[in-house]
Amino acid sequence: ELKGQIDQSIRDHEPLHVARRRGGDFVVMSLEDFEAEQETLAILADEDLMAQIRRSMESLGSRRGVIVRQDEL
């Protein structure tokens, strides 16, 4: 039953692919998952933010830390 599949999709955080006989397939997912994916795409599209993340990962990997003041957070 479709309702049960939708409930499971939401509960398991797995998108549900719905195939239609004549095309026009679509995906059902929870609003929470959709918003999380949109936020991820926005971060990935932000070149400055991605550069900052790369620098932070390099710093972490080399065990160099950066002390951040409270007003910088």
Side-chain angles (χ1 to χ4, degrees):
E1 125 196 25
L2 184 58
K3 181 189 179 313
Q5 291 177 324
I6 292 171
D7 290 343
Q8 181 178 355
S9 171
I10 292 169
R11 182 178 55 250
D12 296 343
H13 298 278
E14 290 289 331
L16 174 64
H17 174 218
V18 180
R20 298 175 67 197
R21 289 184 187 157
R22 294 192 171 130
D25 295 7
F26 61 96
V27 174
V28 176
M29 64 190 319
S30 71
L31 180 59
E32 177 186 3
D33 291 343
F34 174 77
E35 289 173 343
E37 286 197 10
Q38 293 300 303
E39 185 174 352
T40 299
L41 291 173
I43 290 169
L44 292 171
D46 186 325
E47 292 180 17
D48 293 335
L49 182 54
M50 289 304 298
Q52 180 182 356
I53 291 169
R54 276 191 292 281
R55 287 191 303 273
S56 295
M57 291 177 71
E58 289 167 3
S59 175
L60 178 64
S62 65
R63 299 195 180 266
R64 294 184 326 248
V66 176
I67 299 173
V68 180
R69 296 187 317 261
Q70 182 69 29
D71 64 328
E72 295 177 309
L73 294 176

